[in-house]
């Protein structure tokens, strides 16, 4: 870390210590340092020949349920093997020391923030380790719990053959009820907004930095490369989550 970056980190640390409300948005770069590939990076080897829309859309799942299910099982194995990195732990440590100040919003579908200690993170794109029914179960009484499904690739309802799907947000789907509203409220109310490890190309999450800045927050972006929302930042740190966040949140 060069001297200029050290000064920027020190400035941000002072702002975080003084802030009453801090909002952090994390993206795929946060988990990449734990060995979890980004969505497109996961399409390697056997999976490289498939269109993302085939692997991450309801239409693709309906067209070839086994293919999509197997791809998500492949990704789930990587998530289960991964461990929270120093960046995850730094965020969790800050939340533990200063309860009630941090709202953590993540685009990631893994559970590394939760395992680090941020169990109340707002998960914009769902949970890859969670299953749910593809459709509302038509059996009476309705089987709300997917644990009743018959094992398979994918599992299915023993009564109506309704399929089980991963609990993630696919292309063209709405975000989970209320989560974006809660994220926008946190961005609007915060004193400091920190965006970590995201390209800023996925909406509506990418708009949270603008919400925070227009509401008067100090906006900082931490990413190794340029992002599409760098123009919203008062401060840009070029680095990785694991490399920089421990210093940012040190006390």
């Amino acid at each position: 870390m060069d001297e200029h970056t050290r000064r920027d980190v020190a400035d941000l640390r002072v702002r975080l210590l003084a802030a009453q409300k801090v909002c952090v948005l994390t993206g795929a770069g946060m988990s990449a340092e734990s060995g979890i590939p980004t969505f497109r990076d996961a399409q390697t080897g056997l999976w490289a020949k498939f269109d993302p829309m085939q692997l991450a859309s309801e239409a693709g799942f309906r067209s070839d349920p086994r293919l999509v299910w197997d791809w998500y099982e492949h990704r789930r194995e990587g998530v289960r093997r991964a461990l929270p990195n120093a960046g995850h732990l730094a965020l969790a440590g800050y939340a533990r020391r200063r309860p009630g100040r941090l709202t953590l919003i993540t685009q990631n579908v893994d559970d590394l923030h939760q395992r680090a200690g941020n169990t109340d993170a707002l998960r914009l794109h769902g949970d890859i380790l969670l299953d749910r029914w593809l459709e509302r179960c038509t059996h009476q009484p309705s089987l709300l719990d997917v644990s009743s499904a018959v094992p398979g690739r994918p599992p299915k309802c023993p009564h109506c053959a309704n399929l089980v799907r991963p609990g993630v947000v696919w292309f063209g789907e709405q975000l989970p009820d209320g989560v974006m509203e809660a994220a926008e409220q946190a961005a609007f109310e915060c004193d400091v907004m920190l965006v970590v490890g995201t390209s800023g190309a996925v909406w509506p999450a990418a708009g949270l930095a603008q919400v925070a800045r227009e509401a008067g927050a100090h906006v900082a972006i931490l990413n190794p490369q340029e992002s599409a929302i760098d123009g919203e930042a008062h401060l840009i740190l070029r680095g990785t989550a694991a490399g920089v966040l421990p210093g940012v949140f040190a006390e």
Side-chain angles (χ1 to χ4, degrees):
M1 189 182 298
D2 60 30
E3 186 58 32
H4 177 74
T5 303
R6 287 192 184 93
R7 288 197 301 270
D8 285 343
V9 167
D11 174 71
L12 182 57
R13 184 167 61 245
V14 170
R15 291 179 181 275
L16 287 166
L17 290 173
Q20 294 302 306
K21 295 288 184 180
V22 174
C23 186
V24 177
L25 170 67
T26 66
M30 186 93 203
S31 296
E33 291 184 272
S34 291
I36 298 178
T38 65
F39 174 77
R40 293 188 182 278
D41 287 342
Q43 292 176 248
T44 57
L46 171 66
W47 307 103
K49 61 184 178 182
F50 295 105
D51 184 334
M53 289 298 291
Q54 185 178 9
L55 297 173
S57 69
E58 182 178 331
F61 183 71
R62 290 183 182 277
S63 174
D64 196 336
R66 171 176 262 188
L67 172 73
V68 175
W69 182 262
D70 286 352
W71 187 61
Y72 277 93
E73 283 295 283
H74 167 72
R75 293 181 64 197
R76 284 168 165 174
E77 290 173 6
V79 169
R80 294 185 183 106
R81 288 195 303 267
L83 295 173
N85 61 52
H88 295 104
L89 298 175
L91 289 170
Y94 176 82
R96 185 175 60 253
R97 293 190 304 270
R98 295 176 174 266
R101 295 198 183 188
L102 174 67
T103 299
L104 176 59
I105 307 163
T106 186
Q107 297 171 274
N108 299 334
V109 296
D110 59 68
D111 64 342
L112 297 185
H113 281 305
Q114 289 72 28
R115 279 194 267 154
N118 290 115
T119 56
D120 57 352
L122 298 174
R123 306 177 79 159
L124 297 181
H125 297 155
D127 181 350
I128 197 171
L129 299 178
L130 182 70
D131 290 333
R132 64 182 178 89
W133 295 115
L134 177 62
E135 299 175 345
R136 183 179 178 83
C137 183
T138 59
H139 180 259
Q140 295 299 325
S142 181
L143 299 177
L144 300 179
D145 187 353
V146 296
S147 64
S148 59
V150 176
R153 296 164 53 198
K156 63 183 179 180
C157 176
H159 302 288
C160 66
N162 186 18
L163 298 177
V164 172
R165 55 160 285 179
V168 299
V169 177
W170 280 333
F171 290 123
E173 293 185 328
Q174 297 295 315
L175 300 187
D177 288 346
V179 69
M180 193 61 201
E181 292 80 0
E184 289 176 338
Q185 186 68 25
F188 181 79
E189 294 178 349
C190 71
D191 304 304
V192 177
M193 173 86 180
L194 176 58
V195 182
V196 182
T198 176
S199 65
V202 178
W203 290 78
L208 292 172
Q210 181 180 0
V211 170
R213 175 150 187 162
E214 290 181 351
H218 181 82
V219 177
I221 291 179
L222 169 59
N223 209 46
Q225 295 87 33
E226 292 183 3
S227 81
I229 55 173
D230 281 357
E232 301 295 342
H234 297 93
L235 173 66
I236 296 175
L237 295 170
R238 290 288 175 238
T240 66
V244 177
L245 289 185
V248 167
F249 286 99
E251 295 191 12

